Amino acid sequence: MTDSIANEFDTLQLGDKRLDNRCKLIAERFAANPQASINAASQGWNETHAAYEFFDNDFVDEADILAAHKDATMRRIEQQDVVLLVQDTTELDFTKHPTEDSGVLNEGYRFGLYDHSQIAFTESGLCLGVMDVKLFSHTPETLGQSKEQRKQLPIEEKESFRWLQNYRQACQLAGEQPDKQIINVADREADLYDIFVEAAEHPTPADFVIRAKQPRCTPERDLEAGPCTYKKVADEVADAPVSIRLQIDLAATPKRAARRATLEVRAKRLRVKPPQTRKSEFPEVELSVVEVREVDGPGDGTDVHWQLLSSLPVDTIDQIQRVIDIYVTRWPIETYFRVYKSGCRIEEIQLETNARQRRALMIYKVVAWRLMYLTTLGRQCPDLDCEAVFADFEWKPVWKVVRGQELPKTPPRLGEMVQMVGELGGHNNRSGDAPPGAEAMWNGLRRMKDFALAWRAFGNDDD
């Protein structure tokens, strides 16, 4: 590709130019065939051996690999007015072939890593890049701790600290980019009072939209319930008037059938008191609370019900709708993790130590971003000349194979090229079908690579 994944490592500094070049080559090989093993992605034994030596090199810092991609991500961020930093955690299960020093997951017999990533998106869902990755696991000793024991730990020693750390990264970015709105977005695990206080006291706070998990209270006494009881945030927002009523189509999942849902949306700005156990430690904060609740749902546990906590205003219908839209933009990180885990098959990696494994994972993080970026860019910028992304020896054989026609005098548009790559990957391209998804794209790009190699090796339109 003309906009090569190697460009993501332009600022890479591993202390040796040969290591920098080796990292770029490995990334190009992984990107060309993301589902292949390290051996299959490499071209010949020399490349394979060099890749394993790279992963075994103690002078290669995994943080330096990601830092170069982060520099490239910052260049894309600088072109935006609003940036969403979405954070979430996924599980990497290496139980079938654990490293010799592997940690454990939620059970002592399950080996692997947790991957907590912070990824930058535009409001329209274009993936700009990976801003932070925290890889961690448990030990048998930490698995044995009770919930009460964990609650007594300072925040810096809890696993939940990662959510606060990433919010602080968002605040740092807001300080570095004062002309941009930076919004941190997260699901229920990020419902930490520490984040709300950080937002209130930080000199350059980022905005946030976080789905609620904890049963929070206002500072106002609920005298009807008892002299020591406070009014519940959930009750206060539930009593607010309906701001928006809408219908959405819910796709089928393993837990529910597809259905059309009617939703009511309420919103209110509320003062919130700190948790009772930390009332001497923290002040009260002010939050916008948006409730999205399904009306007349099936009542089988699949009814839609979100309570969103935010720093954003909710005075108008448009402002309320924006909070919901921003939260929905969190969902592409789930697609990113699917590309990362299934599209790149990272849980099939077989390396002997954690250090080797983590270096490989950092390169695959960038490969997964590249697949996401290309898939979404084709939808959002369909009229872009495809040679902004694809080389002529890539799009020309794809055109011949998919269209079966003479080559056009000018390169096709990016949207059309992405459609053709998707067809190579199994997308049906029927009337009314959605554009190709990530799975069709990663399969199509693998086939495109083979056609491009044959095109360059055995002749082209100029012969």
Side-chain angles (χ1 to χ4, degrees):
M1 294 184 188
T2 54
D3 186 15
S4 169
I5 193 171
N7 296 339
E8 294 298 302
F9 301 97
D10 279 349
T11 62
L12 183 63
Q13 293 185 341
L14 296 176
D16 186 323
K17 203 67 181 174
R18 292 169 298 179
L19 289 176
D20 296 345
N21 291 335
R22 177 59 55 189
C23 183
K24 293 176 183 179
L25 181 60
I26 292 171
E28 287 181 335
R29 297 294 186 246
F30 285 0
N33 199 354
Q35 289 194 317
S37 66
I38 295 172
N39 296 47
S42 304
Q43 294 183 6
W45 170 244
N46 288 340
E47 277 194 12
T48 302
H49 181 66
Y52 283 114
E53 284 194 328
F54 177 86
F55 296 133
D56 191 34
N57 192 323
D58 290 336
F59 290 102
V60 176
D61 189 332
E62 66 189 70
D64 290 337
I65 297 173
L66 187 68
H69 168 64
K70 183 180 173 183
D71 289 340
T73 301
M74 286 300 301
R75 293 194 291 271
R76 288 182 286 272
I77 285 175
E78 287 167 1
Q79 300 172 20
Q80 307 298 322
D81 294 323
V82 179
V83 176
L84 310 183
L85 294 187
V86 183
Q87 56 172 319
D88 203 359
T89 305
T90 193
E91 185 182 87
L92 310 181
D93 190 341
F94 295 108
T95 303
K96 291 181 180 178
H97 32 73
T99 62
E100 59 190 28
D101 52 349
S102 179
V104 297
L105 298 171
N106 62 329
E107 299 288 350
Y109 57 85
R110 298 184 66 230
F111 298 95
L113 293 165
Y114 292 101
D115 177 325
H116 187 79
S117 293
Q118 178 139 278
I119 301 178
F121 291 89
T122 65
E123 275 196 277
S124 60
L126 181 64
C127 187
L128 300 174
V130 182
M131 292 293 287
D132 187 70
V133 180
K134 295 176 177 64
L135 298 173
F136 63 97
S137 59
H138 297 298
T139 65
E141 291 74 28
T142 56
L143 276 181
Q145 286 185 334
S146 68
K147 185 176 180 180
E148 286 305 314
Q149 286 177 308
R150 293 194 299 270
K151 286 178 78 172
Q152 301 305 316
L153 295 172
I155 183 68
E156 291 80 8
E157 295 180 25
K158 295 179 180 178
E159 284 185 14
S160 56
F161 185 48
R162 64 190 187 270
W163 302 94
L164 178 58
Q165 285 178 301
N166 279 1
Y167 177 71
R168 287 173 175 170
Q169 183 190 51
C171 293
Q172 180 181 344
L173 182 60
E176 295 169 353
Q177 305 284 338
D179 60 329
K180 306 184 189 310
Q181 184 178 27
I182 309 300
I183 307 173
N184 199 232
V185 188
D187 213 5
R188 291 160 55 89
E189 282 189 79
D191 182 5
L192 304 173
Y193 201 83
D194 307 70
I195 290 179
F196 309 143
V197 173
E198 188 82 17
E201 298 181 348
H202 200 284
T204 59
D207 284 307
F208 61 84
V209 176
I210 295 171
R211 187 176 174 187
K213 179 181 181 180
Q214 305 299 335
R216 303 204 178 278
C217 297
T218 74
E220 187 177 350
R221 299 275 187 179
D222 187 350
L223 298 178
E224 292 183 5
C228 298
T229 305
Y230 294 87
K231 291 186 176 180
K232 306 292 188 294
V233 167
D235 295 339
E236 292 295 295
V237 72
D239 289 340
V242 175
S243 301
I244 308 171
R245 181 183 285 262
L246 63 148
Q247 288 191 326
I248 62 171
D249 291 317
L250 299 176
T253 71
K255 294 185 178 181
R256 72 168 183 233
R259 69 172 186 272
R260 171 160 287 194
T262 300
L263 307 177
E264 289 184 346
V265 181
R266 295 172 170 83
K268 196 169 186 178
R269 190 79 177 170
L270 290 169
R271 195 124 190 111
V272 179
K273 68 185 292 292
Q276 187 67 20
T277 56
R278 306 180 74 181
K279 62 181 180 180
S280 61
E281 180 182 355
F282 284 140
E284 297 172 4
V285 296
E286 192 170 281
L287 299 175
S288 295
V289 186
V290 177
E291 182 191 62
V292 181
R293 184 183 291 272
E294 185 172 358
V295 179
D296 299 325
D300 59 359
T302 66
D303 293 31
V304 176
H305 184 208
W306 307 333
Q307 187 186 107
L308 308 178
L309 308 175
S310 180
S311 59
L312 297 170
V314 289
D315 300 320
T316 68
I317 289 176
D318 286 345
Q319 290 173 341
I320 297 169
Q321 184 67 58
R322 186 175 183 232
V323 171
I324 298 170
D325 291 344
I326 287 170
Y327 175 71
V328 169
T329 307
R330 190 199 72 81
W331 296 345
I333 198 172
E334 305 287 352
T335 304
Y336 172 84
F337 282 142
R338 185 166 64 86
V339 173
Y340 177 50
K341 294 167 70 172
S342 299
C344 299
R345 293 184 177 173
I346 57 166
E347 291 173 317
E348 302 302 318
I349 293 174
Q350 299 186 43
L351 293 168
E352 292 182 359
T353 68
N354 267 344
R356 298 175 191 176
Q357 189 180 70
R358 292 163 75 104
R359 293 181 189 114
L361 289 174
M362 288 303 157
I363 296 179
Y364 277 115
K365 295 295 291 189
V366 185
V367 172
W369 160 79
R370 178 68 179 161
L371 286 167
M372 278 280 291
Y373 180 73
L374 183 59
T375 301
T376 312
L377 190 66
R379 299 177 186 179
Q380 297 192 3
C381 304
D383 294 327
L384 191 68
D385 186 325
C386 80
E387 287 195 350
V389 177
F390 296 95
D392 62 348
F393 60 81
E394 292 173 326
W395 73 259
K396 287 180 178 180
V398 170
W399 178 279
K400 285 281 193 177
V401 171
V402 176
R403 293 285 185 263
Q405 302 170 354
E406 292 298 315
L407 293 171
K409 294 181 179 179
T410 58
R413 296 173 298 110
L414 179 60
E416 186 176 9
M417 179 60 184
V418 167
Q419 195 74 52
M420 290 189 292
V421 172
E423 288 184 53
L424 288 178
H427 183 255
N428 291 319
N429 194 23
R430 296 168 299 193
S431 177
D433 278 354
E439 184 171 357
M441 287 300 297
W442 74 60
N443 286 324
L445 288 170
R446 176 178 50 79
R447 295 191 66 198
M448 182 194 76
K449 172 212 170 189
D450 295 335
F451 294 139
L453 288 172
W455 186 266
R456 299 183 79 182
F458 302 118
N460 54 52
D461 56 304
D462 297 325
D463 289 344

